């Protein structure tokens, strides 16, 4: 089997593991300590931020403007509108003549 | 559950999916295009969408693959991106605790961000979650997700200037919109700030993909260490 196929199968396995793990662990405890709960609550924002920050560091004006607009539109708009606004700014600024 | 009510629940779930399918179509297509761009065949891209079914993690995976990261690092990074599913699993597990184990096992496979959010909403409306409703919601989204990977992978090769279309930077924009979506959580700002600074430092000092786990760890530990919000003790009469 190719390396790619192995990666896909392993990725599927660890992804499914993550999707059952929370239930398997939590269903064994009647009580989750508040500090563990607080840490778990922070997981989505913490992980997703790490996927944005280094990209912002190496970005130029179109990239930074797109991120700024995305953050501002997200305060009001839904997911689709937010993404479309950020993408529109990025594509427009990258395609400016000159 | 009778066959009649199962089918009625299925269609009630399915009827709410068209708007969601339109909303996530760009990401399914984007994944296919990025996968092809990073050396995946159309079949491999399609298989990954069918087996992994986790948009953000799939995109991270093919990007690292394109950067020739070690296979175990790619798989570890995919797991790290999907650690948020552990939370969904813990919370959603309580909503479907009354289901037989085989049905729960199937439900967890489909437990993506959208599915989880809709499951919470269904429960908030006082409805008991049924397998029919859950599959009615989940299957159309899952099946179109697979098709989008195939179309995106085939179409991605026709895109001659991905930079002009912004394809390389749509991912950070998408992730930022997700980050913003969690902004009402307690300690969101300190967590985001700590993870941003730590991930940039780790990116410069250690390199990719460790900036993901090290950056995330900084935010998570900070959240656990900060003073807890007023916690209401369950009454112990």
């Amino acid at each position: 089997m190719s390396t790619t196929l192995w990666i896909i199968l392993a990725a599927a396995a660890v992804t499914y593991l993550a999707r059952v793990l929370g239930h398997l662990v939590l269903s064994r405890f009647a009580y989750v300590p508040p500090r563990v709960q607080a840490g778990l609550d922070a997981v989505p924002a913490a992980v997703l931020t790490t996927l944005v920050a280094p990209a912002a560091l190496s970005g130029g004006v179109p990239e930074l403007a797109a991120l700024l607009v995305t953050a501002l539109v997200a305060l009001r708009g839904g997911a689709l509108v937010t993404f479309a606004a950020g993408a529109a700014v990025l594509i427009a600024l990258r395609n400016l003549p000159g | 559950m009778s066959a009649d009510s199962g089918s009625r629940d299925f269609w009630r779930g399915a009827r709410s999916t068209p708007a969601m399918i339109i909303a996530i179509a760009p990401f399914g297509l984007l994944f296919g295009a990025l996968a092809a761009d990073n050396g995946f065949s159309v079949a491999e891209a399609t298989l990954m969408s069918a087996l992994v079914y986790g948009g953000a993690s799939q995109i991270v995976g093919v990007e690292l693959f394109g950067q020739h990261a070690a296979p175990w690092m790619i798989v570890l990074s995919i797991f790290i991106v999907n650690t948020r599913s552990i939370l969904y699993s813990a919370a959603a597990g309580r909503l479907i605790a009354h289901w037989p184990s085989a049905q729960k096992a199937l439900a967890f496979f489909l437990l993506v961000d959208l599915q989880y959010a809709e499951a919470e909403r269904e429960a908030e409306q006082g409805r008991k979650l049924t397998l029919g409703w859950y599959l009615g919601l989940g299957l159309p989204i899952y099946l179109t997700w697979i098709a989008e990977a195939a179309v995106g992978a085939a179409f991605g090769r026709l895109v001659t200037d991905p930079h002009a279309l912004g394809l390389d930077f749509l991912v950070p924009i998408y992730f930022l919109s997700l980050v913003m979506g969690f902004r009402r959580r307690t300690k969101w700002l300190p967590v985001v700030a700590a993870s941003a600074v730590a991930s940039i430092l780790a990116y410069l000092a250690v390199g990719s993909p460790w900036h993901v786990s090290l950056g995330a760890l900084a935010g998570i530990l900070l959240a656990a260490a900060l003073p807890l919000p007023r916690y209401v003790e369950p009454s112990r009469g």
Side-chain angles (χ1 to χ4, degrees), chain B residues 4-16:
Chain B
D4 261 9
S5 74
S7 142
R8 205 166 49 233
D9 281 351
F10 183 91
W11 289 112
R12 189 168 60 79
R15 269 200 305 276
S16 60

Side-chain angles (χ1 to χ4, degrees), chain B residues 17-40:
Chain B
T17 57
M20 299 174 206
I21 286 170
I22 292 169
I24 60 171
F27 308 122
L29 296 168
L30 175 68
F31 164 73
L34 287 173
D37 202 38
N38 283 294
F40 272 49

Side-chain angles (χ1 to χ4, degrees), chain B residues 96-112:
Chain B
I96 59 172
H98 55 290
W99 292 13
S101 294
Q103 294 184 4
K104 273 194 255 186
L106 174 64
F108 285 126
F109 176 77
L110 294 172
L111 192 61
V112 294

Side-chain angles (χ1 to χ4, degrees), chain A residues 62-90:
Chain A
E63 290 78 16
L64 294 177
L67 291 178
L68 183 65
V69 167
T70 303
L72 291 177
V73 174
L75 298 175
R76 290 286 168 146
L80 186 57
V81 173
T82 303
F83 177 73
V89 168
L90 176 74

Side-chain angles (χ1 to χ4, degrees), chain B residues 133-156:
Chain B
W133 174 84
Y134 194 94
L135 293 180
L137 180 79
L139 284 183
I141 297 173
Y142 175 60
L143 295 176
T144 49
W145 177 257
I146 298 170
E148 284 154 17
V151 173
F155 169 77

Side-chain angles (χ1 to χ4, degrees), chain A residues 16 19 23 35 41 94-95, chain B residues 53 89 105 163 168 185 224:
Chain A
Y16 188 71
R19 288 189 182 145
H23 174 65
R35 289 203 185 275
D41 284 344
R94 277 189 176 179
N95 289 281
Chain B
Y53 189 38
S89 166
H163 183 81
D168 58 301
R185 289 197 175 190

Side-chain angles (χ1 to χ4, degrees), chain B residues 32-33 36-37 151-162 165 167:
Chain B
D37 202 38
V151 173
F155 169 77
R157 296 173 178 194
L158 303 178
V159 177
T160 50
D161 191 354
L165 286 176
L167 281 185

